[in-house]
């Protein structure tokens, strides 16, 4: 019951933050989610509704699906041809970042080396979803974007292994290098093999279902949603990397979807909608939890000497990571100066950094050290989002603003509907069929007020259903109207390349509406 109440509260909070983010589109949704998390933490009644943080549940139920869906969006070919770069980013650069940040914290903040390395190892994973929020509306260099995405998919496992090494160092007083290397190889290679094997079995099973009379759209989507949850749990049970397993499985599912667009189009379309829904909600939950945890840990301790140390360590680890990333980009990847700056700032931290920090027991580290780890990593996450949000505005070219695009798209939509209405007026239709078609098309312009819509809805309740003949004529009228709309959008899309993404989205809406019209009405 406690888990259910917590999940329900977080889901409602996530929905509210997403709605607010739509209204304030100039502020990243992640910041809004974090603020809502802080508000929940400050209000005793709301704070009480959310259970104590459980890192295992967080990793399996939230992080694993997020990484699976990130892998699903990535073409496996792009990963294959970047394998050497990915190994460099997720092994060599991560180790360099750990060494530089660990020693910097030790020397500048007076923290013991094992504890400094614990903080440094937690700071190594980056977050592709958080990065997208920071760069929204800006044009990133293409090859830098590819590197950041590939890095964020695979560096989580490195961070987990290095954290385990640092924790053993903290407990035993020495580093076991051979054990760390062995664990890394077993975890990463084993996770990759398990991800390939399980994904391959699931893909074969699903493709066999598609080609049989037992195929079910709902069953297919249920298997799709449960895949990252089951795979992560299996990988962790076998003591290999669940993170790498779900990422690899996501990459293979991307390849499957590319080859199944026509044979399994409904499932793929619905799967993408579910993917976007779950990703938005879960990513919002991550930052709500971050805001909440910051309040819970810092409550009654904001104005003591610990605050200065938290901020100092957070700044040191952030600057150390920036330095390593910039140097690696310049000397190893051979980016130019601007690309190196974007790459260094683009290493945004989020879900996995928070989860790793909270996997550590306060009893193991001691309360003071535990609070230092959690709050310094929270400062790191905030800085990694806030600094690029400001600097990118000055060094990256801007895409078309949403406000400007909405003005253009509204004009396009109005003209599209106008042409569709003209086409409907040119054909014969029974009067009540024509009224319904015209009213429905006008709804596309979003000019029908809610009061008017409700009045029409109440009238419709008492009206008899259309006859078979009227339904057929109505369907034909819609088909003609939609064909006119699509033809107009194709023409405008060629002329207005700057707004093509928005026009394609409008085109997709028309196709979806047409697919609904195709479905026969129930008697």
């Amino acid at each position: 019951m406690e888990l259910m109440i917590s999940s329900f509260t977080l889901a409602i909070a996530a929905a509210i933050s997403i709605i607010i983010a739509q209204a304030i589109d100039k502020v990243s949704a992640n910041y809004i989610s974090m603020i809502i998390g802080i508000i929940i933490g400050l209000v005793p009644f709301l704070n009480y509704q959310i259970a104590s943080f459980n890192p295992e549940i967080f990793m399996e139920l939230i992080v694993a699906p997020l990484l699976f869906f990130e892998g699903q969006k990535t073409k496996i070919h792009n990963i294959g041809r970047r394998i050497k770069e990915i190994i460099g980013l997720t092994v060599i650069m991560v180790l360099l970042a750990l060494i530089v940040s660990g020693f910097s914290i030790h020397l500048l903040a007076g923290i013991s080396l094992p504890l400094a390395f614990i903080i440094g190892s937690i700071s190594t994973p980056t977050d592709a979803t958080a990065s997208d929020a920071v760069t929204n509306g800006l044009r990133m260099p293409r090859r830098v974007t590819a590197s950041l995405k590939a890095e964020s998919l695979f560096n989580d496992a490195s961070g987990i292994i290095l954290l385990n090494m640092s924790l053993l160092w903290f407990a035993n007083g020495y580093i076991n290098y051979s054990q760390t290397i062995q664990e890394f190889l077993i975890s990463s290679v084993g996770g990759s093999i398990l991800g390939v094997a399980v994904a391959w079995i699931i893909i074969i099973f699903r493709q066999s279902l598609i080609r049989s009379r037992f195929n079910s759209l709902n069953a297919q989507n249920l298997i799709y949603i449960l895949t990252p949850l089951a795979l992560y749990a299996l990988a962790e049970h076998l003591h290999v990397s669940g993170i790498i397993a779900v990422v690899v499985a996501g990459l293979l599912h991307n390849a499957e979807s590319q080859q199944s667009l026509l044979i399994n189009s409904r499932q793929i379309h619905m799967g993408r909608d579910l993917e976007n829904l779950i990703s938005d909600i879960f990513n919002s939950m991550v930052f709500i939890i971050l805001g909440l945890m910051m309040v819970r840990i810092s409550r009654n301790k904001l104005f003591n000497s610990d605050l200065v140390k938290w901020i100092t360590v957070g700044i040191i680890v952030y600057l150390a990571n920036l330095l390593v990333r910039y140097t690696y980009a310049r000397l190893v990847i051979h980016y130019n100066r601007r690309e190196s700056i974007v790459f260094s700032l683009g290493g945004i931290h989020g879900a996995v950094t928070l989860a790793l920090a909270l996997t550590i027991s306060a009893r193991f580290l001691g309360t003071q050290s535990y609070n230092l780890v959690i709050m310094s990593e929270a400062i790191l996450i905030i800085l990694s989002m806030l600094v690029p949000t400001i600097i990118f505005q000055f060094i990256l070219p801007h895409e078309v603003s949403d406000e400007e695009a909405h003005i253009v798209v509204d004009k396009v939509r109005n003209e599209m509907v106008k042409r569709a209405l003209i086409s409907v007026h040119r054909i014969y239709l029974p009067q009540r069929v024509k009224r319904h078609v015209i009213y429905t098309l006008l709804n596309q312009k979003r000019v029908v007020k809610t009061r008017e819509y409700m009045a029409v809805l109440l009238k419709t309740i008492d009206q008899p259903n259309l006859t078979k003949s009227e339904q057929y004529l109505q369907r034909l009228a819609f088909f003609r109207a939609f064909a006119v709309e699509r033809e107009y959008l194709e023409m405008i899309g060629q002329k207005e390349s700057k707004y093509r993404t928005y026009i394609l989205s409008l085109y997709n809406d028309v196709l979806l509406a047409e697919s609904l019209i195709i479905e026969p009405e129930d008697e």
Side-chain angles (χ1 to χ4, degrees):
M1 179 63 74
E2 188 179 42
L3 178 61
M4 186 178 72
I5 293 172
S6 298
S7 301
F8 180 78
T9 305
L10 288 171
I12 294 297
I16 292 170
S17 72
I18 291 169
I19 292 170
I20 295 173
Q22 290 294 317
I24 314 174
D25 55 7
K26 292 184 179 180
V27 179
S28 169
N30 292 343
Y31 295 129
I32 294 171
S33 298
M34 196 182 301
I35 291 169
I36 287 178
I38 291 171
I39 293 171
I40 291 173
L42 292 173
V43 178
F45 172 76
L46 296 176
N47 185 34
Y48 179 75
Q49 303 306 312
I50 299 178
S52 299
F53 184 86
N54 186 317
E56 292 180 3
I57 293 175
F58 181 75
M59 290 293 287
E60 182 170 353
L61 296 185
I62 295 182
V63 175
L66 282 174
L67 291 173
F68 176 75
F69 295 145
E70 281 298 324
Q72 169 87 45
K73 297 174 184 176
T74 308
K75 291 186 177 180
I76 197 168
H77 171 73
N78 294 339
I79 298 298
R81 65 189 179 90
R82 287 178 168 269
I83 193 68
K84 286 179 65 176
E85 180 186 339
I86 292 170
I87 291 172
L89 291 170
T90 58
V91 179
I92 298 171
M93 191 181 76
V94 162
L95 283 172
L96 290 172
L98 172 62
I99 293 168
V100 173
S101 61
F103 280 103
S104 298
I105 295 167
H106 171 65
L107 295 172
L108 298 176
I111 306 297
S112 68
L113 265 178
L115 183 58
F117 268 65
I118 288 173
I119 295 171
S121 60
I122 294 172
S123 71
T124 53
T126 52
D127 189 332
T129 309
S131 180
D132 289 341
V134 168
T135 58
N136 185 37
L138 301 170
R139 195 177 304 124
M140 290 275 286
R142 185 172 296 179
R143 62 177 182 161
V144 174
T145 300
S147 294
L148 289 172
K149 188 166 188 178
E151 175 198 5
S152 65
L153 285 174
F154 293 99
N155 64 4
D156 303 334
S158 303
I160 293 170
I161 299 299
L162 292 175
L163 176 59
N164 290 336
M165 177 202 75
S166 302
L167 290 172
L168 287 173
W169 183 10
F170 184 88
N172 302 328
Y174 63 90
I175 301 177
N176 191 329
Y177 295 101
S178 60
Q179 181 183 352
T180 301
I181 294 171
Q182 183 181 0
E183 282 184 3
F184 177 78
L185 291 174
I186 292 173
S187 181
S188 56
V189 176
S192 299
I193 293 172
L194 181 66
V196 170
V198 172
W200 200 250
I201 292 169
I202 292 173
I203 288 170
I204 291 173
F205 176 71
R206 289 175 54 198
Q207 289 297 318
S208 300
L209 272 182
I210 292 169
R211 291 162 174 79
S212 73
R213 65 186 181 88
F214 304 107
N215 187 37
S216 166
L217 181 64
N218 293 331
Q220 289 270 15
N221 282 311
L222 186 59
I223 292 170
Y224 175 70
I225 292 171
L226 293 178
T227 294
L229 306 179
L231 179 55
Y232 182 88
L234 176 62
E236 292 299 310
H237 178 72
L238 297 175
H239 304 291
V240 297
S241 174
I243 296 293
I244 288 183
V246 295
V247 168
V248 169
L251 293 171
L252 287 174
H253 275 74
N254 175 275
E256 179 208 13
S257 66
Q258 295 299 318
Q259 299 300 319
S260 306
L261 287 174
L262 296 182
I263 191 174
N264 199 23
S265 54
R266 284 196 178 195
Q267 191 275 323
I268 291 172
H269 189 278
M270 186 178 291
R272 287 178 179 174
D273 284 344
L274 287 170
E275 172 190 317
N276 291 331
L277 171 67
I278 295 171
S279 294
D280 282 353
I281 292 173
F282 281 9
N283 190 59
S284 181
M285 281 184 177
V286 165
F287 287 91
I288 290 169
I289 291 170
L290 175 60
L292 173 64
M293 292 304 299
M294 288 176 65
V295 172
R296 286 181 174 178
I297 293 168
S298 62
R299 191 185 298 276
N300 302 324
K301 299 179 182 178
L302 281 179
F303 301 103
N304 61 22
S305 58
D306 288 342
L307 176 62
V308 176
K309 183 172 269 190
W310 296 342
I311 296 174
T312 301
V313 173
I315 292 173
I316 291 170
V317 74
Y318 178 63
L319 293 177
N321 274 275
L322 280 187
L323 176 63
V324 171
R325 295 179 66 86
Y326 178 83
T327 305
Y328 190 88
R330 288 287 280 171
L331 300 181
V332 180
I333 311 180
H334 303 298
Y335 284 161
N336 60 39
R337 184 179 174 185
R338 177 173 166 274
E339 288 174 327
S340 298
I341 292 172
V342 173
F343 176 79
S344 61
L345 291 170
I348 314 299
H349 300 275
V352 178
T353 298
L354 173 65
L356 287 184
L358 292 167
T359 56
I360 305 171
S361 167
R363 183 177 300 174
F364 177 80
L365 286 183
T367 303
Q368 190 173 6
S369 295
Y370 176 78
N371 289 343
L372 171 64
V373 170
I374 300 297
M375 293 307 295
S376 62
E377 297 298 346
I379 297 296
L380 168 72
I381 292 171
I382 293 170
L383 286 174
S384 75
M385 293 170 53
L386 189 60
V387 173
T389 298
I390 297 169
I391 295 179
F392 281 172
Q393 298 295 322
F394 298 98
I395 66 174
L396 290 178
H398 288 246
E399 300 279 7
V400 177
S401 69
D402 287 342
E403 188 175 347
E404 178 188 347
H406 287 324
I407 293 171
V408 173
V409 170
D410 281 343
K411 290 180 180 178
V412 171
R413 184 188 288 110
N414 290 340
E415 180 62 26
M416 173 190 82
V417 173
K418 177 182 175 183
R419 294 182 179 219
L421 291 171
I422 291 172
S423 70
V424 170
H425 281 297
R426 287 176 177 170
I427 60 176
Y428 165 75
L429 289 172
Q431 198 59 34
R432 72 169 181 155
V433 173
K434 179 174 283 191
R435 277 200 308 268
H436 182 261
V437 171
I438 290 173
Y439 176 78
T440 305
L441 290 173
L442 283 172
N443 263 333
Q444 282 184 301
K445 294 171 66 174
R446 303 177 184 178
V447 294
V448 178
K449 297 188 183 303
T450 304
R451 183 181 298 176
E452 182 183 346
Y453 171 82
M454 296 305 298
V456 173
L457 179 63
L458 290 172
K459 288 181 181 178
T460 305
I461 292 173
D462 294 330
Q463 286 184 355
N465 293 334
L466 297 176
T467 65
K468 289 283 187 181
S469 176
E470 287 173 329
Q471 288 180 25
Y472 177 72
L473 291 173
Q474 176 181 269
R475 197 170 284 119
L476 288 182
F478 276 124
F479 287 160
R480 173 171 292 196
F482 291 144
V484 170
E485 290 182 347
R486 284 188 281 106
E487 184 180 355
Y488 173 70
L489 291 175
E490 289 165 8
M491 178 188 70
I492 292 297
Q494 293 177 11
K495 291 182 178 179
E496 300 287 351
S497 58
K498 192 164 61 168
Y499 305 102
R500 192 165 290 164
T501 301
Y502 297 90
I503 292 172
L504 284 174
S505 177
L506 190 55
Y507 192 98
N508 186 51
D509 290 342
V510 174
L511 288 175
L512 286 173
E514 191 165 5
S515 70
L516 292 174
I517 295 298
I518 292 173
E519 296 289 342
E521 294 181 11
D522 294 331
E523 291 296 333

